[in-house]
Amino acid sequence: MSFLDQEFTDNNIVITKSEDLLNWARLSSIWQLSFGLACCAIEMMATSASHYDFDRFGVIPRPSPRQADVILISGTVTLKMATRIKRLYEQMPDPKYIISMGSCANCGGPYWEHGYHVLKGIDRVIPVDVYVPGCPPRPEALLEGLLKLQEKIRNERLRKTA
């Protein structure tokens, strides 16, 4: 039986580690910098719409990289856009996270062989935390990717061990 199953009768105090509290706060209010590049952006917008309601997970869209925690790369990344994405990534404060959405952002998609102008995966430019597969992935897949990112944040340590 967990202590949460018991009735709080005295002082209603919950005791936890500060690290767990900070991780819970960070994973519950993820500010997203949307970067829709192609057809995956339509699915990303559908995820933010009322039917799937991305906001209920604490994901709030932000227009500035200086206020964002996560950048959501969705769609085909051309070599010309890759430098802009890297610049936006560098402007984000730490800790920062990347979700790569769709096979074009993950590995170049159908352009991987003959598209001379397409980057063969966004991880060649910036580090990716969660890959969401699909062409284009459904909103449910993006929601699962978000849950995986939240699980990663939940298990992070604030202090690095040697």
Side-chain angles (χ1 to χ4, degrees), residues 14-89:
V14 177
I15 298 173
T16 185
K17 295 186 292 187
S18 61
E19 187 173 70
D20 291 343
L21 179 67
L22 290 173
N23 284 344
W24 172 79
R26 287 189 310 132
L27 72 89
S28 300
S29 62
I30 296 176
W31 292 10
Q32 150 207 339
L33 177 66
S34 300
F35 211 84
L37 296 168
C39 47
C40 288
I42 304 299
E43 299 295 330
M44 182 179 68
M45 288 185 264
T47 308
S48 296
S50 60
H51 187 71
Y52 293 98
D53 196 12
F54 220 20
D55 293 351
R56 67 187 155 128
F57 294 96
V59 178
I60 302 170
R62 300 299 299 177
S64 170
R66 291 179 176 85
Q67 301 168 340
D69 301 318
V70 62
I71 185 167
L72 215 159
I73 307 292
S74 60
T76 309
V77 181
T78 61
L79 295 175
K80 193 173 186 180
M81 287 305 290
T83 55
R84 275 75 172 179
I85 292 172
K86 183 162 179 66
R87 181 181 300 162
L88 288 173
Y89 174 77

Side-chain angles (χ1 to χ4, degrees), residues 68-125:
D69 301 318
V70 62
I71 185 167
L72 215 159
I73 307 292
S74 60
T76 309
V77 181
T78 61
L79 295 175
K80 193 173 186 180
M81 287 305 290
T83 55
R84 275 75 172 179
I85 292 172
K86 183 162 179 66
R87 181 181 300 162
L88 288 173
Y89 174 77
E90 290 170 349
Q91 291 176 352
M92 292 171 59
D94 284 327
K96 49 192 165 188
Y97 306 98
I98 308 295
I99 296 177
S100 176
M101 178 181 178
S103 64
C104 289
N106 292 343
C107 61
Y111 313 105
W112 70 273
E113 192 172 6
H114 302 295
Y116 65 91
H117 64 294
V118 174
L119 187 69
K120 310 297 189 248
I122 192 63
D123 57 352
R124 293 177 185 227
V125 179

